[in-house]
Each structure stands twice: as C-alpha cells, then as structure tokens.
Amino acid sequence: MGVLDLFKLDGRVALVTGCRRGIGKAMAVALAEAGADIIGVSRSLEPQGSGVEAAVTALGRKFSAYACDFKARASVKSFLEKVTAEHPVIDILVNNAGTILRKPAAEHPDEYWDEVIETNLNAQWLISREIGRRMVERGSGKIIFTASLLTFQGGITVPGYAASKGAIGQLTKALANEWAGKGVQVNAIAPGYIATDNTTALRADPVRNPAILARIPAGRWGEPDDFKGTIVYLASRASGYVSGEIVVVDGGWMGR
C-alpha cells in the first residue's frame, strides 16, 4: 500500500457535529474529499439545501442532515436514538460542536456556565459513549474531539469554556486509554486563533487583535481550511498508532 492510500476514506461514514459553518464545515468537506460519506449535525442545520450538503454532494459523497440542540440533554438522546438506528455503522466521529459565552468570572452567570458545559462537554461525552460503544463492539473506529488552546491555558472572561475544553483534553486521554487496545483511536485537535464566528469579537477588538497577532509566529489568524489535513490524518489509517494525542494547529502560538 502506498503512503497516500493510507489517507483514503473510501467506504467510510463520518459523523461531524457543528458542521454547518467554520471549522466543522471544513472538516466535513475534507473527509468527503478523502472519500467518506458524511452525517452532518448542527443545532440549526437545514434538513436540505445547506451549504455543507452542497459541498459534500458535489464531491459525489452522500450527506445526511440532522439538527440537535446540544445544550439540551433530551435533544441529544433523541438524536442518538435516531442516528444510530438510521446509520448502524459510523466509522468516524468528529466531536466539533461547541459554544463560547463571555463574561468576567465574578459576573459569570449560572446560565452561561451550564450552557457551555452542557454543549461542549456533556453532549460530547454522551455522543462519544454511545457511538464509541458500537465502535468497540466492531473493533474499529476513529473519534476526534475539537479541543482548544484553552485546553492548556485559562483564557480571559471565558471560565466555562476553559473548563469545558480542559475537560475535553482529559476525556480524550481517558477514552483513548480504554479503547486503543480495542481498535478505536481517540485523539483531539486544538485550534489556535481562527477566523470564525466565535472569534468575531476578538478580531474586532482594537487591543486584543494586534496583541494576538503579535504572538502568532505565522503572523495571521488561522482559517478553517487549515484543519483539512489534520482531520483526514486522524480519521484515516495513517494515524493507526496515534492515540490520546491533542494535535495543536495554531500557527506556532503554543511554541512561543
């Protein structure tokens, strides 16, 4: 087998949460470009006619759309019942859906904390447990979480987000420890500062924006397409001996 063949995903089915835009959309399209059919899930994903569906089907791949409110436990459980019934075999799970709510810690309301933890951590755990169980039973599978620089750092005015992403790093390792020997590789990708809807406020901040750019050796904000190569690598046979890792894609921020 040639080295490029290791990255092919022909015949695989990938479920990508938070796929409607930004990093999640780029990941879904990349997996489709590598040959996978896509199950797309977002809170407000259109049943038909979404931009991500158009991009995936233009590549000749199948696309199945689901909507799920990740902050509502009942919605997550209902989604899981439906998707596992309609797609008994899911080879790749990309836990990308997430949210961020900003308020200084002393003023951070319970509602902010609860919504972020439920969306970024609890929903990811439930989805990973249910789909991961089936992967373990089959003896194969790939799970990739979207972590963050705040998996390693504390951030400012985002205590719930930092707590949730720190926990995602540990959940990645916990699942990897249990499942690597059963044919299921669990890893994470930690994005740096990326030009998405979640960073609109930072990029518009006349103080924070230049300070952030000054620390990034690459000298620019990242783009969603910067994750295409990493997601295909972690979803493919090319990463068959990689387990419990958090791959940082940040333009050099963490090395500074």
Side-chain angles (χ1 to χ4, degrees), residues 1-10 33-35 232-233 236-239:
M1 179 182 294
V3 66
L4 294 182
D5 292 327
L6 293 173
F7 294 86
K8 292 181 179 178
L9 299 175
D10 297 341
E33 288 175 336
V232 171
Y233 168 64
S236 69
R237 287 172 291 180
S239 60

Side-chain angles (χ1 to χ4, degrees), residues 66 96 197:
Y66 293 84
N96 172 72
D197 290 347

